[in-house]
């Protein structure tokens, strides 16, 4: 039989904040509450990101639907990567007597920041945006290698 666990949003929020103090705890708590209790208020402000690496570079793929490439900003500082995007509302034309009954398409800003394991060469990095997917290729800095130490 499966055990029931009690949902404690404040405890979860506190533990997440202690793990990563750089996060905005109030924004995270509001997102968690609205995501779980009021799905109609949910916005896709959590940018989905895939990060892969090989020996020479990192590849980052970020899903940013509805954005235009001129409204996306990528910033690399050391091994910190920040992606900001603004999703703007297009001009809406209505006919005579038309009115909006429902609006679910998201408009607003999205952002994501994360650190990579190794320092990167930000001068050689490149970005491509196609079909709502931002692809970053970020080379690792030359001479940076990781080693695994055996524990004796």
């Amino acid at each position: 039989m499966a055990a029931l666990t009690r949902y404690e949003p404040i405890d979860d929020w506190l533990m997440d904040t202690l793990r990563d103090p750089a996060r905005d705890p109030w924004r995270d708590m509001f997102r968690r509450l609205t995501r779980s209790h009021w799905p109609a208020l949910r916005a896709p402000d959590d940018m989905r990101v895939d990060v892969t690496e090989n020996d020479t570079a990192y590849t980052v793929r970020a899903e940013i639907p509805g954005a235009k490439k001129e409204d996306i900003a990528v910033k690399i500082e050391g091994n910190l990567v920040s992606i900001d995007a603004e999703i703007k509302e297009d001009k809406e034309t209505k006919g005579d007597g038309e009115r909006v009954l429902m609006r679910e398409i998201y408009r607003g800003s999205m952002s994501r920041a994360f650190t990579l394991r190794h320092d990167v060469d930000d001068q050689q990095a490149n970005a491509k945006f196609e079909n709502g997917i931002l692809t970053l290729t970020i080379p690792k800095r030359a001479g940076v290698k990781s080693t695994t130490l055996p524990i004796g």
Side-chain angles (χ1 to χ4, degrees), residues 9 24 28 43 47 57 80 83 86 92-93 109 116 121 136 138:
D24 181 355
D28 290 348
M47 188 183 300
L80 176 68
I83 304 169
E86 185 74 28
E92 187 176 306
T93 57
S109 61
L116 301 170
D121 185 0
L136 305 175
I138 308 170

Side-chain angles (χ1 to χ4, degrees), residues 44-48 62-68 72 85-88 105-108 110 129-134:
D45 54 356
D46 287 335
M47 188 183 300
R48 295 181 182 156
E63 190 177 72
I64 313 174
K68 295 178 183 166
I72 299 172
E86 185 74 28
I87 300 167
K88 297 179 181 175
I105 297 174
Y106 178 73
R107 291 158 184 88
M110 305 170 88
F129 185 67
E130 189 174 312
N131 296 328
I133 303 291
L134 174 68

Side-chain angles (χ1 to χ4, degrees), residues 61-102:
R61 296 184 75 227
E63 190 177 72
I64 313 174
K68 295 178 183 166
K69 70 178 181 179
E70 56 269 8
D71 296 329
I72 299 172
V74 177
K75 190 175 183 182
I76 300 172
E77 295 179 29
N79 62 346
L80 176 68
V81 178
S82 302
I83 304 169
D84 295 306
E86 185 74 28
I87 300 167
K88 297 179 181 175
E89 183 174 358
D90 291 331
K91 292 281 185 187
E92 187 176 306
T93 57
K94 294 183 233 174
D96 290 336
E98 255 186 67
R99 61 179 182 232
V100 176
L101 298 177
M102 181 184 297

Side-chain angles (χ1 to χ4, degrees), residues 76 78 119-126 137-142:
I76 300 172
D119 282 338
V120 295
D121 185 0
D122 57 346
Q123 300 300 315
Q124 300 297 318
N126 65 29
T137 304
I138 308 170
K140 293 179 182 178
R141 209 171 275 257

